[in-house]
Amino acid sequence: QVQLVQSGGGSVQPGGSLRLSCTASGYSFSSYSMGWFREAPGKEREGVATIDSDFRTIYADSVKGRFTISRDNARNTLYLYMNRLKPEDTAMYYCAADPRPPLEWWLLLPPPAYWGQGTQVTVAS
C-alpha cells in the first residue's frame, strides 16, 4: 500500500517561510524520484520542484532561489522549504513519487505514479 502523507501547510504573510513534509511508505523510497506540484485557483497543476534518487534537482523558474527541495532517505521523507513567499505562491501543494526520471513526468505528461493528499498554502497580508 503506497502512501504519501503530507504536512506543514498553513497561512503566512508575504515574505514568510513554510516547510512542507511528505512521508512515504509502501515502496522503495530511496530509489524513486520525488516532486512537489501546486494548483492555484483558476490555474492548471504545475511542477514546483523535483529531486531524483541521486539528489539532482529541478526547479520551476518561478521558485528558483526561494524554494529548496530535499529528501531524507533514512526517514522516507521529502521536504519543500519555502522562503520569501509571495501571494502568487498561494495554492494547494501536492507531493508525488515516480520510479522514472523526473523529466519523464514533472510536466504531467504523463503524471507521476503516486500523489499525496495535498496541503493548502496561503500567502496573504
Side-chain angles (χ1 to χ4, degrees), residues 19-22 29 34-36 49-52 55-59 67-73 76-82 95:
R19 185 189 74 172
L20 305 184
S21 298
C22 175
F29 179 83
M34 303 290 295
W36 290 98
T50 65
I51 183 167
D52 68 12
F55 297 89
R56 293 173 293 195
T57 59
I58 298 172
Y59 293 93
F67 291 11
T68 301
I69 188 171
S70 65
R71 64 192 299 162
D72 185 341
N73 288 343
N76 284 4
T77 300
L78 175 75
Y79 300 99
L80 184 67
Y81 297 88
M82 303 184 292
C95 67

Side-chain angles (χ1 to χ4, degrees), residues 10 20 25 32-33 47 52 59-60 62 90 97 99 101 121:
L20 305 184
S25 61
Y32 272 55
S33 296
D52 68 12
Y59 293 93
S62 59
T90 295
V121 172

Side-chain angles (χ1 to χ4, degrees), residues 3-7 20-24 27 29 33-38 45 49 69 76-80 92-98 105 112-119:
Q3 286 190 297
L4 300 174
V5 180
Q6 299 180 218
S7 63
L20 305 184
S21 298
C22 175
T23 299
Y27 69 98
F29 179 83
S33 296
M34 303 290 295
W36 290 98
F37 296 79
R38 66 187 183 186
R45 188 171 298 189
I69 188 171
N76 284 4
T77 300
L78 175 75
Y79 300 99
L80 184 67
M92 186 73 73
Y93 283 71
Y94 301 89
C95 67
D98 199 290
W105 50 267
Y114 304 107
W115 292 98
Q117 83 278 16
T119 188

